[in-house]
Amino acid sequence: MAEIVLDVEVRERTGTGGARAARNEGKVPGILYGGDKAPVPIAVSLNAFKKALYTGKLAGHLVTLKYGEETQKVIAKAIDFHPVTDVPLHFDLYRVDEHQSIKINVPVHFKNHEASPGLKKGGALTVAFHELEISVPADHIPEDVVIDLSGLEIGASVHVGDLSLPSDVTAVQGKDVVIASITASGASQSEEASAEA
């Protein structure tokens, strides 16, 4: 995986006026915080930020921040977008040590839909959480959590305790929390009713 490097500059002005001025210069304003240092207002070129954002590896991954010769590891905590144009308006970066344990949300994906008897019978996959909050070292953040649906019948649920996570990853939610379940859909219920009649 290619490492993402963001070249930043420190903004002189803060607040709404400073952020607006940065946007008018073709930059995305942001803030760098965390660790034992004070928050620092920063800005990144809009094109460079979009390029990093559209790789899909900016949010939720370890990113290298470069200011002159100085580099620092950070994680993007929040990115705000314009409600109509989807242009990035502001971002928050959090300073981390590479081996520091952090809490972060990772996406949940499902595989082997075709190997689930419950889905074959017309059941529906009901997803309670599309993301899972985990505690993990900053340099070992997984891309996603993949849940295998093989063998799951209608009425079956997948709990946090059922997940096979890497040894250095722990789920923040309790083991009894339901991630997804296979429920009877309206179509499968009507088929069962007509079969009984």
Side-chain angles (χ1 to χ4, degrees), residues 118 152-157 181-184:
L152 295 181
E153 293 282 351
I154 291 177
S157 297
S181 60
I182 298 183
T183 57

Side-chain angles (χ1 to χ4, degrees), residues 112-182:
N112 295 329
H113 290 61
E114 66 283 347
S116 169
L119 292 176
K120 282 184 181 177
K121 293 176 187 172
L125 177 64
T126 304
V127 180
F129 291 98
H130 292 278
E131 290 185 329
L132 180 68
E133 187 176 10
I134 58 172
S135 177
V136 62
D139 57 345
H140 287 106
I141 300 170
E143 295 286 322
D144 56 5
V145 173
V146 179
I147 297 175
D148 189 1
L149 299 175
S150 298
L152 295 181
E153 293 282 351
I154 291 177
S157 297
V158 179
H159 297 85
V160 171
D162 300 334
L163 302 177
S164 56
L165 299 172
S167 60
D168 55 356
V169 176
T170 56
V172 174
Q173 288 101 332
K175 293 186 182 290
D176 296 337
V177 174
V178 175
I179 300 292
S181 60
I182 298 183

Side-chain angles (χ1 to χ4, degrees), residues 43-173:
V44 177
S45 160
L46 177 61
N47 290 338
F49 191 79
K50 279 184 174 180
K51 184 177 177 183
L53 182 64
Y54 296 145
T55 62
K57 307 289 184 207
L58 179 62
H61 290 80
L62 203 59
V63 176
T64 302
L65 196 68
K66 186 176 179 188
Y67 175 66
E69 297 299 315
E70 193 178 329
T71 61
Q72 190 167 24
K73 296 292 186 183
V74 298
I75 287 184
K77 280 292 194 180
I79 302 169
D80 297 328
F81 296 93
H82 188 279
V84 175
T85 62
D86 265 351
V87 173
L89 294 177
H90 189 273
F91 61 94
D92 294 356
L93 298 178
Y94 182 71
R95 294 181 190 103
V96 293
D97 177 47
E98 278 189 68
H99 308 295
Q100 172 185 348
S101 182
I102 60 168
K103 288 182 181 176
I104 193 162
N105 290 337
V106 294
V108 175
H109 293 122
F110 300 90
K111 68 177 184 177
N112 295 329
H113 290 61
E114 66 283 347
S116 169
L119 292 176
K120 282 184 181 177
K121 293 176 187 172
L125 177 64
T126 304
V127 180
F129 291 98
H130 292 278
E131 290 185 329
L132 180 68
E133 187 176 10
I134 58 172
S135 177
V136 62
D139 57 345
H140 287 106
I141 300 170
E143 295 286 322
D144 56 5
V145 173
V146 179
I147 297 175
D148 189 1
L149 299 175
S150 298
L152 295 181
E153 293 282 351
I154 291 177
S157 297
V158 179
H159 297 85
V160 171
D162 300 334
L163 302 177
S164 56
L165 299 172
S167 60
D168 55 356
V169 176
T170 56
V172 174
Q173 288 101 332

